[in-house]
Amino acid sequence: DASLPIKCIVNGDRQRPISCLQKNDDVFVPFALVERYFEISGKVETDKKSGNSEKVFNWQHSYAKLSLPKLPYEPDGIFMSFDNYNVEVRDRVKCISAMEGVPLSSQWTTGGGHFYPIQVAQFGLSHYSKNISEEAPRKTVIANFQQRGSWAVPAVESDEQRSFVWNFTLPESVSGPDVVLDEFPDSGDPYIIFSVKFRTHGSVTLQLEVQDKKQITYELIYTCSNESIWAEGNRIFYGIGADCTNWISLVRDIYVDLVKGLTLGIKKINKKDKVRPNITRIRIIRMVLHGQGHLDKVVTQTTAHSELFYVAADWLVRHQVRQTGGWPISVKRKLGASELQPGWFSAMAQGQAMSTLTRAYRKSGSAAYLEAAVRALDLFGKSAAEGGITAVFLDKYVWYEEYPTKPPSFVLNGFIYALLGLYDVSLTATGEDQKRAHNLFADGVASLKALLPLFDTGSGSTYDLRHFTLKSLPNIARWDYHATHVTQLLVMNSIAPDEMFQSFAQRWSEYMSGKRAPHN
Amino acid sequence: DASLPIKCIVNGDRQRPISCLQKNDDVFVPFALVERYFEISGKVETDKKSGNSEKVFNWQHSYAKLSLPKLPYEPDGIFMSFDNYNVEVRDRVKCISAMEGVPLSSQWTTGGGHFYPIQVAQFGLSHYSKNISEEAPRKTVIANFQQRGSWAVPAVESDEQRSFVWNFTLPESVSGPDVVLDEFPDSGDPYIIFSVKFRTHGSVTLQLEVQDKKQITYELIYTCSNESIWAEGNRIFYGIGADCTNWISLVRDIYVDLVKGLTLGIKKINKKDKVRPNITRIRIIRMVLHGQGHLDKVVTQTTAHSELFYVAADWLVRHQVRQTGGWPISVKRKLGASELQPGWFSAMAQGQAMSTLTRAYRKSGSAAYLEAAVRALDLFGKSAAEGGITAVFLDKYVWYEEYPTKPPSFVLNGFIYALLGLYDVSLTATGEDQKRAHNLFADGVASLKALLPLFDTGSGSTYDLRHFTLKSLPNIARWDYHATHVTQLLVMNSIAPDEMFQSFAQRWSEYMSGKRAPHN
Ligand SMILES: [Ca+2]
Ligand SMILES: [Ca+2]
């Protein structure tokens, strides 16, 4: 009954035989071979569900988990399953800019980073969704400066802030004397919100006590500079703009601000290398001010989803180019033989921005958000060849291009994100705007129904149709993109019900556990 | 160092854990699991190449073997790799009709079978190709009846046969007295060729001595009947037509005639059940005649490729419908939701017939063959909707349909067979005919280049594009069809050279040993 070694010859490769085992009539092959050959994964784990500490081997076809969307999809509801999405911790986010309040992307660039409108919108939509799914934040007011004389330092009335504010006058140098706010309770709240303006220059320093393996003190220094982020020893600096003489309201996640500083310059964080700090506890000890200026309302919060959502929506309003209604992307993007030049537009950026802006309008009632969302429709009337974002599949089916390459790339996930943005506008705008959005959405749904089968490999999905336009090999979607496809199809079935969407979603989800389309 | 059992949980299915082995840090999984999960195959075999009798485990990704075509492809050369193809032994061939001389198909019908023009043409092309690749047959003249009086029975001169022939007069009953020809040498030749005509009725019986596990005597009886084949005990009957008063020339493979009789009524021959007789040796003992009639030139041969090729080519000329230039297919054919009604045409049948007929013309010089090949072009001008064979992919790319379904099915292998037929005519016909064939070929090549990527799954190929037209799941080509695709692409690269054909053929052949397109 013992197992005996037997040589395995794989597809006739006698040069590299594999050591297998034979036990009675059964041959056992090393999982390591199956793993690299079929690109699946597996590992020995304690079987948590068995109740005892038995070791089992867990064979996993897909490393990605399916994230089921909240259905029915509603234009003011959770966006897909973005309540589970955390944009800021992604490696490709260099930091959350203290100037703009939104993520600064390091993707596709070696320079100082760039604001990627898709990432900004997703940052907004994830916080919007968490604001629905999570409980309301606990807020702790550290200092409100509600009236003159309530603090040891002078308070003055501010017209812009419509509030009494703290008036401080100190040397600008961080090594000079300072003024301290040190009434922070030991709450562990990761968010701090405050408003500040300087006469010329200055900084706000947060001294942190961080429990990693040992206890270390770090400083987060928000200072008047156009540099986004830099670090000196245990000090991590965030620029709030070289001109810091206007009120700026900061909404900071101190955990994220710390981690981005600690991992600065590390290109790709290898999970196995444990470079990512394993912080178990973090607290603000004190806030230290330098320079001359005003400070108002310092609050710590368990979360700040609503605030960050509006930060993102406001960024989109501020950075939309009025003439085109687009958010130009400022980095080069290579896709195969094609290279998009700085200033390109993305249908996915337009769509994700529309989903963000319509939600901001629905929640706030502020017309500027809806106006921006409607302006975003304009680019859908312009082909990629004309600097727009649309392509047409064999002169028949319009496609909204995540990457407006020549020839077209027909990326699936970006197209569906664009459809969701159009859907949101079609249910939010009125009159001609509503009609325009609706027609663009309906045309896109027809294209999706026609072309979706071309993305089906019978055991997964392709990311795009570049194999068709370039006559090359298919670009197989890795499992996390494939899982996104499934989530998106479930949302599509919610807003444009069709048995086809349901059955593709079902089959594609089954591909994730190894099911395959039959052969003839 | 011993292996220990460990439970494998596959994709979270705790209800059906798999028994695996662990040896040191390596986990070994049963190949039986890998086999059914990924649809590959493998078995323990004696390693013939190692020189000793070591047992090894052979892991085979694809059960099919790639059959490399003879290149360059030439319109009078071996057809693809059909020199390795044996049509008549296929299970779906009920028998070789003694009336028509060509295969009778049992596919898609429960009735008496039907003549499937594709099968007839492939029968012709395989024998044509073997006639090139194999050595010339050894022929043994058993009886030639070259002059009056050279035999014990009366010989007479026959105008139709332009020869002296044997004149026999006997009871029609096979149990009555008979006349015997028994000068067959023990050569093992499987082919016998002879000509016969009867005054009213009669039969020619071949008595066979067959070595299976034991030695058995069988009789093959060619008799005046419209029934194709039937068996009574050790007697297997083939009808040569109820009206058998004209000269008929029979070219028979006695091995095939015997096996088809022995497996008669067995739907699907399971290789493991060993129903297929394991004949090691077969010889004709004697030829027995009944009835009144004439017999001429009895010859046995090692092969009869040239004869059978012309039998097929002549069948195609005889059965082409002049008005359409087509070979109507007389059985219903269901494909998904579509049902082709008896009388449908196939672009593959047209193409394979053209490849057969042009070769017959090139070898014989007989104009009737070329005329039939040119007439076969007519249907390429007619859409499936009009009862023809062409479809158009999104109003752009013409496709020659193996199955002219509504909506179109875009079967790949049948399309390429059609292209090869068009190519053969384009290099064989002249004037306007040549131009028509050339243009149809060129249009088809353009379509193939445009649409080929849509058949690529990244780990195999699809059989058709029905998933596109029906919005359904892809119809994955099983490995033997996939191997045919590779062979066809190599041929295409020979006649319409394009780097694309070369690289697809290369990649698709690598899929057969487990290579996969990368994911993003
Ligand atoms: Ca105040
Ligand atoms: Ca004669």
Side-chain angles (χ1 to χ4, degrees):
Chain A
D1 242 40
S3 63
L4 296 168
I6 184 168
K7 200 189 281 179
C8 282
I9 293 170
V10 179
N11 296 316
D13 183 357
R14 318 182 70 80
Q15 301 308 306
R16 281 167 295 183
I18 306 284
S19 301
C20 297
L21 296 176
Q22 188 171 20
K23 190 175 174 184
N24 304 326
D25 284 345
D26 297 325
V27 170
F28 290 75
V29 298
F31 183 77
L33 166 63
V34 178
E35 185 168 32
R36 67 171 181 269
Y37 188 102
F38 291 109
E39 299 187 75
I40 64 170
S41 58
K43 58 172 182 283
V44 176
E45 290 174 327
T46 303
D47 188 16
K48 285 162 202 143
K49 292 189 185 166
S50 75
N52 55 41
S53 61
E54 185 193 8
K55 294 274 185 188
V56 298
F57 184 74
N58 267 325
W59 163 308
Q60 287 293 349
H61 194 78
S62 155
Y63 61 78
K65 288 267 174 294
L66 196 57
S67 216
L68 290 178
K70 307 306 169 290
L71 298 178
Y73 177 88
E74 287 172 343
D76 59 359
I78 287 174
F79 186 82
M80 272 182 29
S81 54
F82 274 32
D83 51 330
N84 297 317
Y85 189 20
N86 194 339
V87 172
E88 39 272 65
V89 300
R90 301 190 76 178
D91 295 341
R92 59 180 66 167
V93 172
K94 187 174 179 183
C95 64
I96 304 302
S97 163
M99 285 170 274
E100 299 284 346
V102 298
L104 183 67
S105 178
S106 56
Q107 202 176 13
W108 308 323
T109 175
T110 52
H114 65 110
F115 294 105
Y116 189 43
I118 290 174
Q119 201 171 64
V120 173
Q122 292 193 335
F123 175 75
L125 287 169
S126 68
H127 285 292
Y128 180 90
S129 301
K130 287 175 186 171
N131 192 47
I132 295 175
S133 68
E134 296 182 8
E135 59 187 19
R138 186 187 63 222
K139 303 184 180 191
T140 306
V141 178
I142 306 300
N144 202 7
F145 316 111
Q146 272 163 320
Q147 58 187 61
R148 198 186 309 266
S150 68
W151 286 77
V153 289
V156 295
E157 209 164 348
S158 161
D159 285 344
E160 300 124 294
Q161 202 69 356
R162 272 171 282 170
S163 163
F164 284 94
V165 302
W166 195 11
N167 181 21
F168 57 90
T169 306
L170 291 157
E172 285 175 16
S173 161
V174 293
S175 53
D178 54 38
V179 165
V180 164
L181 204 65
D182 58 3
E183 312 234 327
F184 288 86
D186 186 6
S187 64
D189 289 353
Y191 285 91
I192 184 165
I193 303 179
F194 58 91
S195 301
V196 69
K197 73 178 261 190
F198 294 95
R199 183 161 311 164
T200 52
H201 284 94
S203 64
V204 180
T205 298
L206 298 178
Q207 287 185 359
L208 308 182
E209 192 180 274
V210 177
Q211 193 69 44
D212 193 344
K213 273 162 203 159
K214 54 186 180 179
Q215 186 171 301
I216 310 178
T217 304
Y218 289 99
E219 288 186 352
L220 293 175
I221 302 172
Y222 304 92
T223 187
C224 300
S225 165
N226 284 335
E227 195 79 19
S228 295
I229 181 172
W230 71 100
E232 293 170 6
N234 283 4
R235 289 173 162 177
I236 296 157
F237 294 84
Y238 281 86
I240 59 171
D243 177 2
C244 49
T245 59
N246 292 310
W247 280 102
I248 180 167
S249 182
L250 295 175
V251 183
R252 307 305 300 178
D253 180 334
I254 54 171
Y255 174 85
V256 169
D257 281 354
L258 175 65
V259 168
K260 295 299 178 184
L262 295 179
T263 55
L264 203 62
I266 299 167
K267 268 279 166 213
K268 181 108 186 168
I269 293 165
N270 189 331
K271 277 155 196 158
K272 284 172 190 162
D273 286 355
K274 298 267 182 202
V275 171
R276 195 187 287 277
N278 190 18
I279 295 165
T280 53
R281 210 173 151 284
I282 188 167
R283 64 172 292 203
I284 303 170
I285 301 298
R286 61 178 68 88
M287 177 184 271
V288 182
L289 301 170
H290 288 96
Q292 295 178 39
H294 296 154
L295 177 75
D296 196 14
K297 200 162 178 185
V298 179
V299 182
T300 64
Q301 298 188 186
T302 49
T303 61
H305 298 313
S306 176
E307 292 85 350
L308 292 171
F309 166 64
Y310 283 112
V311 165
D314 292 344
W315 186 94
L316 291 169
V317 171
R318 215 159 56 238
H319 289 272
Q320 186 179 40
V321 176
R322 296 292 155 123
Q323 301 95 299
T324 57
W327 289 269
I329 296 161
S330 60
V331 292
K332 274 191 200 173
R333 174 80 167 101
K334 275 197 89 141
L335 271 105
S338 195
E339 189 173 64
L340 300 170
Q341 294 307 313
W344 59 279
F345 296 109
S346 165
M348 177 167 166
Q350 301 298 110
Q352 296 268 270
M354 289 189 284
S355 291
T356 307
L357 292 165
T358 48
R359 281 168 173 76
Y361 169 71
R362 283 169 172 269
K363 288 294 174 196
S364 70
S366 166
Y369 295 127
L370 182 57
E371 285 158 18
V374 167
R375 264 195 305 272
L377 296 173
D378 292 352
L379 274 176
F380 286 82
K382 218 170 165 188
S383 74
E386 304 164 320
I389 54 173
T390 64
V392 186
F393 187 87
L394 290 185
D395 299 337
K396 265 237 165 26
Y397 295 108
V398 71
W399 199 263
Y400 310 132
E401 290 268 271
E402 177 172 350
Y403 303 110
T405 52
K406 294 156 204 163
S409 40
F410 299 105
V411 173
L412 180 58
N413 80 89
F415 176 65
I416 298 179
Y417 281 125
L419 291 183
L420 297 182
L422 292 170
Y423 178 77
D424 289 338
V425 175
S426 80
L427 289 194
T428 308
T430 54
E432 281 306 309
D433 298 335
Q434 190 277 331
K435 271 186 206 152
R436 268 170 78 207
H438 173 79
N439 290 341
L440 289 166
F441 175 72
D443 290 349
V445 169
S447 298
L448 181 61
K449 287 182 189 174
L451 301 185
L452 186 59
L454 299 184
F455 292 87
D456 193 333
T457 71
S459 56
S461 54
T462 64
Y463 180 78
D464 53 35
L465 298 182
R466 271 189 286 163
H467 55 298
F468 177 73
T469 53
L470 298 175
K471 304 185 180 190
S472 61
L473 76 179
N475 182 20
I476 306 296
R478 60 173 195 257
W479 285 121
D480 48 356
Y481 278 118
H482 180 76
T484 297
H485 291 162
V486 174
T487 307
Q488 291 183 319
L489 290 177
L490 291 170
V491 171
M492 287 309 301
N493 192 46
S494 165
I495 63 179
D498 191 303
E499 204 282 314
M500 179 190 184
F501 292 139
Q502 179 59 41
S503 66
F504 270 72
Q506 176 67 29
R507 187 170 66 254
W508 286 18
S509 74
E510 289 170 354
Y511 290 164
M512 295 176 72
S513 47
K515 206 184 159 182
R516 299 146 65 88
H519 53 70
N520 62 355
Chain B
D1 245 45
S3 65
L4 296 168
I6 184 169
K7 201 189 277 181
C8 282
I9 293 171
V10 179
N11 296 315
D13 184 357
R14 317 184 71 78
Q15 300 308 304
R16 281 166 296 182
I18 305 284
S19 301
C20 296
L21 297 175
Q22 189 170 18
K23 190 175 174 184
N24 305 325
D25 284 344
D26 297 324
V27 171
F28 290 76
V29 298
F31 183 79
L33 166 63
V34 178
E35 184 168 32
R36 66 172 182 270
Y37 188 103
F38 291 109
E39 300 188 72
I40 63 170
S41 57
K43 57 173 184 282
V44 177
E45 290 174 327
T46 302
D47 189 15
K48 286 163 201 139
K49 292 189 185 166
S50 74
N52 55 41
S53 62
E54 185 193 9
K55 293 275 184 187
V56 297
F57 183 74
N58 267 322
W59 162 308
Q60 286 293 347
H61 193 79
S62 155
Y63 61 78
K65 288 265 175 295
L66 195 58
S67 217
L68 290 177
K70 306 306 169 290
L71 298 179
Y73 177 88
E74 287 172 341
D76 59 358
I78 287 175
F79 186 82
M80 270 180 34
S81 55
F82 273 33
D83 51 331
N84 297 318
Y85 189 20
N86 193 339
V87 173
E88 40 270 67
V89 299
R90 302 190 76 179
D91 295 342
R92 60 181 63 168
V93 172
K94 186 174 180 182
C95 64
I96 305 301
S97 163
M99 285 170 271
E100 299 284 346
V102 298
L104 183 66
S105 178
S106 56
Q107 204 177 12
W108 309 323
T109 175
T110 52
H114 65 109
F115 294 105
Y116 189 42
I118 290 174
Q119 199 170 66
V120 173
Q122 291 193 335
F123 174 77
L125 287 168
S126 69
H127 284 294
Y128 180 90
S129 301
K130 288 174 185 171
N131 192 48
I132 294 174
S133 67
E134 296 181 8
E135 58 188 16
R138 185 188 63 223
K139 304 184 181 191
T140 307
V141 178
I142 306 300
N144 204 7
F145 317 111
Q146 273 164 318
Q147 57 187 63
R148 199 187 307 268
S150 68
W151 287 78
V153 288
V156 296
E157 210 164 346
S158 162
D159 285 346
E160 300 121 296
Q161 205 65 359
R162 272 171 282 169
S163 162
F164 283 92
V165 301
W166 196 12
N167 182 20
F168 56 89
T169 305
L170 292 156
E172 283 174 18
S173 161
V174 292
S175 52
D178 53 39
V179 164
V180 164
L181 204 65
D182 57 3
E183 312 235 329
F184 288 85
D186 186 7
S187 63
D189 289 353
Y191 285 91
I192 184 167
I193 301 177
F194 59 91
S195 301
V196 67
K197 72 177 261 192
F198 295 95
R199 182 161 309 164
T200 53
H201 285 93
S203 65
V204 179
T205 298
L206 298 177
Q207 286 185 0
L208 308 181
E209 193 180 273
V210 176
Q211 193 69 43
D212 193 343
K213 273 162 203 159
K214 53 187 180 176
Q215 185 170 303
I216 311 178
T217 304
Y218 288 101
E219 289 186 353
L220 293 175
I221 303 172
Y222 304 92
T223 185
C224 300
S225 165
N226 284 336
E227 195 79 20
S228 294
I229 181 172
W230 71 99
E232 294 168 7
N234 283 4
R235 289 174 161 175
I236 295 156
F237 293 84
Y238 282 85
I240 59 172
D243 177 1
C244 50
T245 58
N246 292 310
W247 278 103
I248 180 169
S249 181
L250 294 177
V251 183
R252 307 304 301 177
D253 180 333
I254 56 170
Y255 173 85
V256 169
D257 280 354
L258 175 63
V259 168
K260 295 298 178 185
L262 296 179
T263 55
L264 204 62
I266 298 167
K267 268 277 167 216
K268 181 107 186 167
I269 293 165
N270 188 332
K271 277 156 195 160
K272 285 174 191 162
D273 285 356
K274 299 267 182 200
V275 170
R276 196 188 286 277
N278 190 17
I279 296 165
T280 53
R281 207 170 154 288
I282 187 167
R283 65 172 291 205
I284 303 168
I285 300 299
R286 61 179 68 86
M287 176 185 270
V288 182
L289 300 170
H290 288 97
Q292 294 179 38
H294 296 153
L295 178 74
D296 196 11
K297 201 161 179 185
V298 180
V299 181
T300 65
Q301 297 188 185
T302 50
T303 60
H305 298 312
S306 176
E307 292 85 349
L308 291 172
F309 166 65
Y310 283 112
V311 164
D314 292 343
W315 186 94
L316 291 169
V317 171
R318 215 160 57 240
H319 289 272
Q320 187 180 40
V321 175
R322 296 293 157 121
Q323 300 95 300
T324 58
W327 289 268
I329 296 161
S330 61
V331 291
K332 273 191 200 171
R333 174 78 168 103
K334 275 195 91 141
L335 270 104
S338 195
E339 189 174 67
L340 300 170
Q341 294 307 312
W344 58 279
F345 296 110
S346 165
M348 177 167 168
Q350 301 298 112
Q352 296 267 271
M354 289 189 285
S355 290
T356 308
L357 292 165
T358 48
R359 280 167 174 77
Y361 168 72
R362 282 168 173 272
K363 288 297 173 194
S364 71
S366 166
Y369 295 127
L370 181 58
E371 285 159 18
V374 167
R375 262 195 306 271
L377 295 173
D378 292 351
L379 274 176
F380 287 82
K382 217 171 164 186
S383 74
E386 305 164 320
I389 54 173
T390 63
V392 186
F393 187 87
L394 291 185
D395 301 336
K396 266 238 166 20
Y397 295 109
V398 71
W399 199 264
Y400 311 131
E401 291 267 273
E402 178 173 350
Y403 304 109
T405 52
K406 292 157 207 162
S409 39
F410 298 106
V411 173
L412 181 56
N413 80 88
F415 176 64
I416 299 178
Y417 281 125
L419 291 183
L420 297 182
L422 291 170
Y423 178 78
D424 289 338
V425 175
S426 80
L427 289 195
T428 308
T430 55
E432 281 306 310
D433 298 334
Q434 190 276 332
K435 272 188 206 151
R436 268 171 78 206
H438 174 79
N439 290 341
L440 289 166
F441 175 72
D443 290 349
V445 169
S447 299
L448 181 61
K449 287 183 189 175
L451 302 184
L452 186 59
L454 299 184
F455 292 87
D456 192 333
T457 71
S459 55
S461 55
T462 64
Y463 180 77
D464 53 36
L465 298 182
R466 271 190 284 162
H467 55 300
F468 178 74
T469 53
L470 299 176
K471 304 184 180 191
S472 62
L473 76 179
N475 183 19
I476 307 296
R478 59 172 197 257
W479 285 121
D480 48 355
Y481 278 117
H482 180 77
T484 298
H485 292 162
V486 173
T487 307
Q488 291 183 320
L489 290 177
L490 291 169
V491 172
M492 286 309 302
N493 193 46
S494 164
I495 64 178
D498 191 302
E499 205 282 316
M500 177 188 186
F501 292 140
Q502 180 59 41
S503 67
F504 271 71
Q506 178 65 30
R507 187 169 66 255
W508 287 17
S509 73
E510 289 169 355
Y511 290 165
M512 295 176 72
S513 47
K515 204 184 160 184
R516 300 145 66 87
H519 53 71
N520 63 353

